[in-house]
Amino acid sequence: MDGAERLRSGPAAAVRDPRLFEEFYRRHVDAVMRFVARRVDDPHTAADLTAEIFLAVLDSAHSYRPRLGSETAWLYGIARNVVSSERRRVAREAERDLRFSGRRLLEADDIARIEDRLDAESPGRRALAALASLPEGEQAVMELIAVDQLTVTEAAAALGIRQVTARVRLHRARKALREEADVKAPETDPAAPQAGPTSPTGAGTPDPSLLHVARGGARA
């Protein structure tokens, strides 16, 4: 099998061949790390979750369907489940110190590299925080489309829902965000920057990419 064939073979073939899996990992690790960095702000947690996502690929490779979206979109679906599971695990812990037991050690260079990634993705974390007021289903669709830049089709595949359901949730989320932005807009100074859905404190300029989606700029 030549290199072009290997790249076309997808996750199912990758999990059967260590060389292909390494190629798959290298092909997607940056995108997965960016996804995680938009949701956590600790380098150790980011490294652990990224590793867990690729481990989860071993169990989920059979579920990938190219016609439903890209490998990245499929990985984002896995990543959402891993991150959600971690949040539930942390919430259940009686002793916060348990979070650090058994954690693999990171080299100083690893920590610095991940911290740079976390800093770069801090606008994404603020955008996600601003979506917290939305119902869970609508929030999930908006996360993947507005923040992670998936198409509606890919977001539906990542969430395991029908495209029409994703579109309905997206429409409702856009409407709620527009209404929230209108409520928060300053009334006394028309020239003042308007608060938007990416500003958790209700102050500052709204994130242009999020407002673009809220106004109907999502890709099919």
Side-chain angles (χ1 to χ4, degrees):
M1 183 184 298
D2 61 24
E5 278 188 279
R6 288 199 298 269
L7 288 178
R8 289 196 298 267
S9 59
V15 300
R16 295 193 296 266
D17 185 328
R19 292 174 299 173
L20 296 185
F21 190 80
E22 182 177 356
E23 289 180 3
F24 180 86
Y25 176 86
R26 292 181 183 278
R27 193 155 73 241
H28 296 294
V29 63
D30 285 343
V32 170
M33 177 60 78
R34 288 194 298 272
F35 180 95
V36 173
R38 288 190 282 269
R39 289 159 172 82
V40 303
D41 58 7
D42 174 70
H44 292 278
T45 302
D48 287 349
L49 289 175
T50 299
E52 287 181 27
I53 289 163
F54 281 99
L55 286 175
V57 167
L58 299 176
D59 295 326
S60 304
H62 65 280
S63 68
Y64 175 58
R65 299 291 183 270
R67 63 183 175 80
L68 296 179
S70 65
E71 289 179 344
T72 301
W74 174 75
L75 274 169
Y76 281 1
I78 294 174
R80 286 193 82 257
N81 291 334
V82 171
V83 172
S84 295
S85 294
E86 170 65 8
R87 287 171 175 165
R88 289 192 296 268
R89 182 187 70 81
V90 171
R92 288 194 302 264
E93 288 178 350
E95 298 291 334
R96 302 289 291 182
D97 288 344
L98 291 178
R99 291 186 63 190
F100 303 99
S101 64
R103 175 165 289 169
R104 71 184 181 90
L105 297 178
L106 295 176
E107 299 293 338
D109 288 346
D110 293 330
I111 294 176
R113 176 177 56 82
I114 297 174
E115 285 178 337
D116 287 343
R117 175 68 71 192
L118 294 173
D119 288 342
E121 298 300 335
S122 59
R125 291 197 299 277
R126 290 195 296 271
L128 289 172
L131 299 178
S133 62
L134 294 174
E136 183 178 354
E138 295 168 18
Q139 179 180 343
V141 171
M142 280 296 290
E143 281 186 12
L144 291 173
I145 293 174
V147 181
D148 298 311
Q149 298 296 299
L150 296 188
T151 65
V152 174
T153 301
E154 290 174 331
L159 295 170
I161 60 178
R162 295 185 302 162
Q163 290 185 38
V164 65
T165 303
R167 291 184 185 280
V168 169
R169 292 180 182 178
L170 179 61
H171 173 76
R172 290 174 177 169
R174 286 172 177 162
K175 181 179 179 182
L177 291 173
R178 286 196 298 266
E179 290 174 351
E180 182 179 352
D182 289 343
V183 168
K184 290 182 177 179
E187 297 180 358
T188 56
D189 183 4
Q194 292 189 356
T198 65
S199 175
T201 61
T205 303
D207 184 290
S209 64
L210 187 56
L211 285 181
H212 175 67
V213 175
R215 291 167 180 160
R219 297 173 294 154

